[in-house]
Amino acid sequence: MVAFVPRDDRRGNVRRDLKNRVGLEVSFQLSLSTESVSSAYPDEPTFVTPSATVGEVIRLFGAQQTGSVLVCSDNASDSGQLLGIFTERDALKCMAAVSSGEQPELMAQPVSDVMSSELTTLQADTTVSEAIKLMSQGGYRHLPIVAEDGRPVGMENVYGIVHYLVDHFPQTIYNLPPNPRAIPSEREGA
Amino acid sequence: MMIECPYCGAENPAGADICSECQQSLTDLSHPSFDTPVERGLMSDRIEALSPKAPLAVSPQTTIGEVLAKMISASIGCVMIVEDDQLLGIFSEYDAVHRIGSEAAKMADRSISSVMTPKPITLDSKDRIAFALHKMHVGGYRHLPIMTESKLTGVISIRDILGYLSERVGVLT
């Protein structure tokens, strides 16, 4: 077969390069600073009342496949108000205290005794980049999303953020082979 | 997505080996292109650039109680179970909450090897960061043991990845 050089082989490449340098970078930055956390895969929060025991809440983690619960008031006057958060890390601290014999009765105590009540929260219109900032600066993995009246409506976690970021370059991540060091002996067909 | 044949101009599906019109080879057109600096970084930076933290290693006979105490005092989310320089398993916060949970007092004297996750997936410190992100995102892992010359030398967490990404996308500037 006689090989011949295509006349405008470069055309497609030039177009692609230009798009890369200007378009995608800008759109990435733009979507981070304009899209709200509701597009970054927030979870449905799991709620417990302040009187639930630590043991019950830890069993709930297993049953609900979740890493955090929101402790909400069950008083008639301020029902549904967010009082605190209890995460896997808090659970681990409780478990360590129980197994060392330091506080043997901790599992039967109400979760309100050990929850974190100093909360960093997001609003539904908080931007993704603001959420990332709060998460990495505070070292949090879970941030509750609250409505204007203070009622929690969602839970943003670090996996949701990573999922959102990967959505911007799916080919780079999802098309990887499972083993980074395997070199295929022949090219895979399309 | 379609690609244009540079020889005859016919449109072909992306990834096609030859042009359906003129039968010329199109293999050179389908090289992966990395569109943003973030993507290029993920495919060129190695995991060692994240400076993996030194792992907290324990022997398989260590009791659950001791391990829990160590995780709290070291403010760490996972321990590696190592014997004779071999990585046997990993034990994370997730395992603690889901496999021990409220039974912590009863199980405190059992050995950690009974509740660890055996044979965890590992990566090499020379592997690209994209693979770490792939394993964590697709596999849902929070920690990955990092080996250097098949010896355990570090651990990276999803937080390291988040830090890397947010720096790259200009969030933390």
Side-chain angles (χ1 to χ4, degrees), chain A residues 50-66:
Chain A
S51 55
T53 67
V54 174
E56 282 168 351
V57 173
I58 292 180
R59 280 190 288 276
L60 194 65
F61 280 149
Q64 295 277 323
Q65 289 293 312
T66 182

Side-chain angles (χ1 to χ4, degrees), chain B residues 27-45:
Chain B
T27 47
D28 287 345
L29 289 181
S30 296
H31 286 306
S33 70
F34 302 117
D35 288 339
T36 61
V38 186
E39 287 173 278
R40 277 193 291 275
L42 282 169
M43 284 310 288
S44 62
D45 292 350

Side-chain angles (χ1 to χ4, degrees), chain A residues 9-10 12-13 16-17 19-20 171-172 175 187-188 190, chain B residues 1-4 6-7 13-17 25-35 39-40 43:
Chain A
D9 175 42
R10 299 289 307 155
N13 291 341
R16 209 181 302 152
D17 279 358
K19 190 183 82 178
N20 301 347
Q171 293 190 356
T172 312
N175 286 4
R187 187 173 171 269
E188 280 178 42
Chain B
M1 206 176 85
M2 304 295 275
I3 50 173
E4 191 185 315
Y7 305 95
D17 283 342
S25 168
L26 299 180
T27 47
D28 287 345
L29 289 181
S30 296
H31 286 306
S33 70
F34 302 117
D35 288 339
E39 287 173 278
R40 277 193 291 275
M43 284 310 288

Side-chain angles (χ1 to χ4, degrees), chain A residues 28-29 32 128-137 158 161-162 165 169, chain B residues 38 42 50 133 158-173:
Chain A
F28 200 167
Q29 307 276 351
L32 275 170
V128 178
S129 67
E130 189 62 26
I132 295 177
K133 243 184 244 174
L134 289 170
M135 215 175 253
S136 26
Q137 284 164 0
V158 61
I161 299 276
V162 169
L165 292 172
F169 36 84
Chain B
V38 186
L42 282 169
L50 296 173
L133 180 51
I158 187 118
R159 235 183 252 170
D160 297 327
I161 299 275
L162 184 70
Y164 173 87
L165 284 176
S166 44
E167 211 172 274
R168 290 308 172 100
V169 299
V171 170
L172 296 181
T173 46

Side-chain angles (χ1 to χ4, degrees), chain A residues 1-2 4 6-9 11 15-16 20 24-25 28-29 32 55 58-59 61-62 65-66 88-89 91-93 95-96 98-99 107 129 132-133 135-137 139-141 158-159 161-163 165-166 169 172-174 176-181 187 189-190, chain B residues 4 6-7 15-17 23-24 27 29 33-39 42-43 65 68-69 71-72 75-77 93-94 96-98 100-105 108 122-124 127 130-131 133-135 137-138 140-142 158-159 162 165-166 169-172:
Chain A
M1 193 198 291
V2 182
F4 65 93
R7 245 177 302 155
D8 48 3
D9 175 42
R11 203 180 62 189
R15 207 187 315 141
R16 209 181 302 152
N20 301 347
L24 281 169
E25 245 171 90
F28 200 167
Q29 307 276 351
L32 275 170
I58 292 180
R59 280 190 288 276
F61 280 149
Q65 289 293 312
T66 182
E88 276 182 4
R89 189 73 205 171
L92 192 75
K93 282 181 195 154
M95 289 162 58
V98 169
S99 67
M107 288 296 165
S129 67
I132 295 177
K133 243 184 244 174
M135 215 175 253
S136 26
Q137 284 164 0
Y140 304 118
R141 266 198 313 253
V158 61
Y159 299 101
I161 299 276
V162 169
H163 189 173
L165 292 172
V166 170
F169 36 84
T172 312
I173 301 303
Y174 294 132
L176 289 177
N179 180 353
R181 287 169 299 280
R187 187 173 171 269
Chain B
E4 191 185 315
Y7 305 95
D17 283 342
Q23 315 296 312
Q24 291 283 350
T27 47
L29 289 181
S33 70
F34 302 117
D35 288 339
T36 61
V38 186
E39 287 173 278
L42 282 169
M43 284 310 288
L68 291 177
M71 286 168 86
I72 295 301
S75 297
I76 213 164
E93 260 169 42
Y94 180 92
V97 171
H98 288 84
I100 303 172
S102 48
E103 307 295 306
T122 63
L123 284 175
D124 192 273
D127 289 337
F131 284 96
L133 180 51
H134 173 88
K135 297 283 181 219
H137 176 54
V138 179
Y141 306 114
R142 198 176 299 166
I158 187 118
R159 235 183 252 170
L162 184 70
L165 284 176
S166 44
V169 299
V171 170
L172 296 181

Side-chain angles (χ1 to χ4, degrees), chain A residues 107-163:
Chain A
M107 288 296 165
Q109 280 184 30
V111 68
S112 53
D113 289 359
V114 286
M115 68 185 185
S116 326
S117 46
E118 303 256 318
L119 288 179
T120 303
T121 58
L122 307 172
Q123 274 76 49
D125 59 354
T126 308
T127 62
V128 178
S129 67
E130 189 62 26
I132 295 177
K133 243 184 244 174
L134 289 170
M135 215 175 253
S136 26
Q137 284 164 0
Y140 304 118
R141 266 198 313 253
H142 305 93
L143 289 175
I145 305 172
V146 296
E148 273 171 15
D149 61 358
R151 279 164 221 273
V153 291
M155 177 67 94
E156 185 58 59
N157 71 32
V158 61
Y159 299 101
I161 299 276
V162 169
H163 189 173

Side-chain angles (χ1 to χ4, degrees), chain B residues 106-136:
Chain B
K106 269 183 239 159
M107 293 175 75
D109 295 327
R110 302 244 298 256
S111 72
I112 193 67
S113 55
S114 62
V115 286
M116 69 183 185
T117 304
K119 296 187 191 146
I121 286 182
T122 63
L123 284 175
D124 192 273
S125 57
K126 297 278 183 223
D127 289 337
R128 314 291 173 175
I129 292 175
F131 284 96
L133 180 51
H134 173 88
K135 297 283 181 219
M136 286 186 173

